[in-house]
Amino acid sequence: QVQLMESGGDSAQAGGSLTLSCVVSADTSTLDRLAWFRQVPGKKREAVAGIFTYDGLTYYTDSVKGRFTISRDNAGLSLQMNSLKLEDTAVYYCAADNRKIYPRDSWSRDDRYNYWGQGTQVTVSS
């Protein structure tokens, strides 16, 4: 069983930066894909960024392109968040899957990840 734990969530000013981290209990190179999701009350959980271990290919939802960067090392996952906006306020979750069977364009589907962290709160204020 792979365990994940997020950290780094905090309060920040609009235009500022935060870095989220996710410690993974397995060597992440043995996994197929990892991702960051976020969720706010009343809204569906949203994929933010994903990364594939084989070649490092990354994906981002349109609203964070150019502002957020996902990265991986063997011990975990990070999300560098720059130019924060009010609408970035959410609980952020890291997720992973070890199954190498899904099309890459399914990266944003939460049912493509079988391991999840507990979440970390990011609050952006003006």
Side-chain angles (χ1 to χ4, degrees), residues 2-125:
V2 177
Q3 296 179 327
L4 303 90
M5 182 174 291
E6 305 93 337
S7 64
D10 204 348
S11 297
Q13 293 290 320
S17 297
L18 287 172
T19 301
L20 305 183
S21 298
C22 176
V23 176
V24 180
S25 65
D27 183 340
T28 63
S29 66
T30 68
L31 303 171
D32 180 59
R33 62 182 69 184
L34 301 101
W36 289 96
F37 286 75
R38 65 187 180 188
Q39 189 168 30
V40 299
K43 295 184 68 177
K44 185 179 180 180
R45 185 162 52 190
E46 175 192 28
V48 177
I51 185 167
F52 290 84
T53 60
Y54 178 74
D55 57 4
L57 184 67
T58 58
Y59 290 88
Y60 297 92
T61 193
D62 286 345
S63 64
V64 309
K65 287 179 180 176
R67 300 190 297 118
F68 291 8
T69 303
I70 188 171
S71 61
R72 178 193 68 82
D73 64 23
N74 287 348
L77 187 71
S78 295
L79 185 69
Q80 178 64 49
M81 308 165 65
N82 296 327
S83 302
L84 286 165
K85 300 178 179 180
L86 295 178
E87 54 263 42
D88 295 322
T89 295
V91 176
Y92 284 73
Y93 300 88
C94 59
D97 198 282
N98 64 327
R99 298 168 294 184
K100 300 177 175 61
I101 59 173
Y102 298 124
R104 290 201 176 191
D105 62 2
S106 70
W107 76 273
S108 63
R109 290 177 53 169
D110 58 7
D111 63 356
R112 295 298 192 247
Y113 299 87
N114 54 6
Y115 304 114
W116 291 85
Q118 82 290 343
T120 187
Q121 176 71 50
V122 171
T123 302
V124 183
S125 60

